Structures are given as structure tokens and as C-alpha cells.
Amino acid sequence: MTQVMMMQEGNQLTAFLSGEIDHHWAAVMREQIDETLKATTPQKLILDFSGVTFMDSSGVGLILGRYRLMNSWKGTVVVQKAPASIKRMLAIAGIESKD
């Protein structure tokens, strides 16, 4: 099952993503993340992909949209722990993933 768990520590929000990120689930995740972002306005958003088993281009859109939102608040986004197959897709899109 695809889901997002969020943990806030000070000015940092970490979204732990798991399952498959396709068109449908990317929209669900986006809503959940954005609700929390708007309620907490952190300076840093970490998107943790360690639990993601599949991602299509909708996942790239999910990331880029959070970059735009956080940038409007002068915040930052970090993508971390993406599996190798997803790292390749992110690299093609120009998105860096930290381990």
C-alpha cells in the first residue's frame, strides 16, 4: 500500500514515502504533503524514498511541485534514499538524491 508518514523536527519536515508512486498515488501524496507543509511551514522538506518500490514520471512531478512550493517560502527540498532504479530517473530529470 502506498502511503506517506511525516515527522517534524523543529524547522524540518521529513516525508517518508512508501509503495508505488503513479499518477493516482502521486496526487494523494501531494495533497497529504502539501496540507502538512501549509500547516507547519518548515524551512526544509526531506522526501525519503527508501520505501518506494516503483515510480513513474508522476513522482518527478511530485518532487518538482514541492520544490516550487518550498522555494516560494525560501525553503529547501532534499530527496534522499532513492533506490537505484529511481535514482536513474531522478538523474535524467536533473534531481539529485542523497544517500
Side-chain angles (χ1 to χ4, degrees):
M1 177 176 196
T2 301
Q3 62 181 346
V4 179
M5 278 189 7
M6 283 174 264
M7 181 176 69
Q8 184 161 7
E9 295 179 47
N11 250 350
Q12 174 177 297
L13 176 68
T14 303
F16 297 93
L17 312 176
S18 65
E20 298 186 356
I21 304 176
D22 59 14
H23 176 74
H24 170 75
W25 288 110
V28 171
M29 290 177 160
R30 181 182 66 243
E31 288 177 21
Q32 292 174 345
I33 294 168
D34 286 358
E35 277 182 26
T36 305
L37 285 173
K38 289 174 184 174
T40 61
T41 59
Q43 288 298 310
K44 183 176 188 179
L45 170 64
I46 298 175
L47 298 172
D48 186 300
F49 278 76
S50 59
V52 176
T53 56
F54 169 82
M55 183 178 89
D56 65 14
S57 61
S58 301
V60 173
L62 172 75
I63 296 167
L64 294 177
R66 293 337 92 217
Y67 270 114
R68 282 190 294 273
L69 181 60
M70 290 297 293
N71 189 44
S72 72
W73 297 332
K74 306 219 185 309
T76 60
V77 176
V78 174
V79 176
Q80 71 179 20
K81 299 182 182 175
S85 60
I86 294 173
K87 267 189 177 181
R88 284 191 293 277
M89 182 185 300
L90 295 176
I92 291 168
I95 300 169
E96 181 183 342
S97 174
K98 300 184 186 284
D99 290 328

